[in-house]
Amino acid sequence: MNVLILGSGGREHVLTWKSVQSAIVEHVYVAPGNAGTAQIATNVDLSVMDFEAVAAFCKANKINVLIPGSEDPLVAGIVDFMEAQQDLDIFILGPNKESAQLEGSKEYAKAFMLENNIPTATYDSFTSETINEAKAYLRTKTAPYVLKADGLAAGKGVVISETLEHADATLDDMLLDEKFGKASSRVVIEDFLQGVEFSIFAMSDGENYVILPEAKDYKRIGEGDTGLNTGGMGAVSPVPFMNSDYLEKVETQIIKPTFDGLKKRQMTFVGFVFFGLINDNGDPKVIEYNVRMGDPETEVVFPRIQNDFGAMLELAANKRLNEVKMRIDERTCSTVFTVSGGYPESYDKGTKITFRPHEANDAVIFHAGTKIQEHDIVTSGGRVLAVSAFGEDIQDALRKSYNGVQNISFDKMYYRKDIGQDLLTLSK
Ligand code: AMP
Ligand code: GLY
């Protein structure tokens, strides 16, 4: 089996790492990849949005499985494009354009949840024509107000306003001034939910699905969850409140109704569903769907999967995922991201990274914003390297992740020192 993975982040390095371990995978290509994927697979200089070039590469290199890492090519219809190609017999682990709307449109996702009785925050949605209704709707609610641009906004489309004045101004920005371009020509307003956020993942072949481990990520740049949002500063799997009863709740109230709802709409969903959840006093509710794995969640979820990934892909391609018996490492996996100083605002690129030879421990380094420049590995993005490690519990895993971080250095390197600390206070 030959596999092509699209993307260049930590998630794609993990998918590459897991694919190359498979007994049945021959070649793994990554487009465009990073310095980490270059060490274990073949990087290909292709843009993930250049579907023509991706199709041509797949034909020329006898690719059997294509895995788009991020949502952009999926929402833009890479699956539909590939399926329309003649003489391209390929399995794509990702949803078509219609199913990708679960992530591509918040309004679409909310209507879908309502239709299928999937627990989520109460909402309504508005456009520039109904902005007065939107402001009236806000006045029937209490602070904080949650406003969401309908479309993809690079993870920045959610604004939580503490006051009515701020919420009104945000509506003006989004609907009248198109703050997020077309993505904010429609705005969803929903009730604020309180609780611990986490996510759980499923992999679907269009007929069957398997549930993958859950994780909690840390989005803010600053310790104590302060400061600007980032692509993710670290993650932990499992979360302390997950047990078989809770998992059953998540499956019967959320995961199964989601796949049943897709079938009811005669939508074929192939690929990963990322269920962004909040634990609302013991009841899981959906904050959002994504149609791909999370980053940095993949850096803690995939190491826990003991199954041969190639074998899972082969069964998925034949709509036989129901035959997969998931084997999940019981230990805790944590990851800590080292980022470029200044991120998520401006930061330097091209800074040389030094790796110290480290003692054998359970830590693995996954690359994100790195590239090879002459004989050096240099930074090429804000989030640079994720250090994942296993431990007997959260503290043990984190101790190993942080030990691994000590083996990396580059100018202005920053990382959060409090990943997972909030989970220590939660009871099982
Ligand atoms: P999203 O882009 O939908 O993941 O939203 C970004 C972040 O906004 C989430 O990770 C939550 O922290 C927060 N958020 C979104 N919706 C809600 C809500 N209804 N209640 C509380 N927080 C929310
Ligand atoms: N870590 C959140 C995401 O991948 O969207």
Side-chain angles (χ1 to χ4, degrees):
M1 177 188 290
N2 297 324
V3 179
L4 171 62
I5 293 164
L6 300 181
S8 60
R11 164 181 53 210
E12 288 76 22
H13 188 183
V14 180
L15 293 170
T16 305
W17 171 84
K18 190 72 184 150
S19 300
V20 300
Q21 288 170 29
S22 165
I24 62 167
V25 171
E26 282 161 67
H27 290 288
V28 182
Y29 300 91
V30 193
N34 57 38
T37 60
Q39 290 170 345
I40 56 172
T42 307
N43 283 0
V44 189
D45 192 14
L46 285 178
S47 155
V48 304
M49 297 303 277
D50 187 348
F51 300 167
E52 294 271 1
V54 173
F57 182 87
C58 290
K59 281 183 202 170
N61 294 277
K62 301 196 167 52
I63 298 297
N64 307 101
V65 178
L66 174 66
I67 310 179
S70 74
E71 64 278 16
D72 290 321
L74 295 167
V75 173
I78 193 170
V79 173
D80 310 66
F81 181 91
M82 295 293 157
E83 283 175 357
Q85 300 298 301
Q86 307 230 306
D87 26 283
L88 185 60
D89 180 20
I90 190 172
F91 172 64
I92 311 173
L93 187 63
N96 59 25
K97 194 170 177 175
E98 189 189 12
S99 300
Q101 287 299 299
L102 278 186
E103 174 163 3
S105 164
K106 305 267 187 208
E107 151 68 26
Y108 185 96
K110 295 295 289 192
F112 176 86
M113 287 185 252
L114 196 65
E115 184 180 301
N116 294 290
N117 283 319
I118 295 167
T120 188
T122 304
Y123 84 106
D124 205 344
S125 81
F126 305 91
T127 62
S128 59
E129 268 133 52
T130 53
I131 189 164
N132 292 332
E133 281 99 314
K135 290 181 181 174
Y137 182 76
L138 284 176
R139 281 156 180 79
T140 67
K141 303 286 174 185
T142 51
Y145 307 96
V146 181
L147 300 111
K148 300 186 169 184
D150 180 55
L152 292 186
K156 299 191 172 66
V158 176
V159 176
I160 297 182
S161 291
E162 298 295 334
T163 64
L164 263 181
E165 294 68 42
H166 187 264
D168 282 347
T170 303
L171 276 177
D172 291 343
D173 284 351
M174 286 189 176
L175 292 174
L176 305 181
D177 301 338
E178 299 203 342
K179 183 169 180 196
F180 301 107
K182 270 184 62 171
S184 66
S185 60
R186 179 178 284 279
V187 171
V188 165
I189 302 179
E190 67 179 38
D191 290 358
F192 183 83
L193 300 174
Q194 199 115 39
V196 178
E197 275 181 65
F198 69 106
S199 45
I200 192 162
F201 304 86
M203 177 171 157
S204 169
D205 62 13
E207 301 262 337
N208 316 284
Y209 65 85
V210 287
I211 299 178
L212 312 182
E214 80 287 355
K216 181 176 193 297
D217 78 338
Y218 294 80
K219 290 198 173 81
R220 303 296 195 91
I221 189 70
E223 280 159 24
D225 292 327
T226 55
L228 293 172
N229 259 325
T230 70
M233 298 296 291
V236 173
S237 174
V239 298
F241 51 84
M242 184 55 79
N243 54 36
S244 56
D245 288 348
Y246 197 85
L247 180 61
E248 196 183 310
K249 243 188 209 182
V250 171
E251 182 168 17
T252 56
Q253 296 176 10
I254 292 168
I255 300 179
K256 190 168 182 301
T258 298
F259 286 108
D260 288 347
L262 287 162
K263 278 194 185 145
K264 240 188 287 162
R265 284 196 181 190
Q266 296 187 319
M267 288 158 65
T268 307
F269 193 104
V270 179
F272 296 109
V273 183
F274 169 136
F275 299 86
L277 308 179
I278 199 157
N279 180 23
D280 181 14
N281 283 315
D283 286 316
K285 292 190 172 159
V286 181
I287 295 263
E288 63 166 348
Y289 288 117
N290 296 313
V291 298
R292 49 167 176 86
M293 284 302 298
D295 195 347
E297 290 89 340
T298 308
E299 286 89 316
V300 294
V301 168
F302 264 68
R304 295 188 59 211
I305 299 174
Q306 295 172 326
N307 303 64
D308 181 307
F309 188 46
M312 289 175 70
L313 291 170
E314 184 157 275
L315 285 170
N318 292 301
K319 300 202 183 301
R320 286 167 50 200
L321 259 187
N322 52 318
E323 293 171 30
V324 172
K325 170 117 184 51
M326 292 306 297
R327 285 181 289 112
I328 304 299
D329 197 316
E330 295 284 320
R331 291 175 298 168
T332 297
C333 190
S334 61
T335 199
V336 174
F337 243 108
T338 60
V339 307
S340 304
Y343 172 79
E345 296 183 282
S346 62
Y347 53 84
D348 298 337
K349 287 186 187 173
T351 307
K352 186 180 168 191
I353 305 168
T354 309
F355 296 87
R356 285 181 216 98
H358 48 88
E359 304 153 25
N361 65 15
D362 297 326
V364 192
I365 297 176
F366 294 115
H367 290 232
T370 68
K371 66 174 188 184
I372 297 171
Q373 194 167 286
E374 293 175 13
H375 298 293
D376 291 331
I377 296 179
V378 300
T379 64
S380 66
R383 294 193 306 149
V384 179
L385 298 158
V387 184
S388 294
F390 278 113
E392 292 313 315
D393 55 26
I394 294 175
Q395 278 157 306
D396 189 34
L398 283 161
R399 190 175 51 75
K400 291 175 182 161
S401 283
Y402 283 114
N403 274 343
V405 167
Q406 301 314 314
N407 294 318
I408 301 167
S409 66
F410 55 89
D411 194 31
K412 299 188 187 151
M413 177 173 110
Y414 168 78
Y415 57 93
R416 270 179 65 168
K417 298 183 182 63
D418 67 337
I419 301 301
Q421 293 308 302
D422 57 329
L423 294 177
L424 299 178
T425 60
L426 296 177
S427 54
K428 284 220 183 225

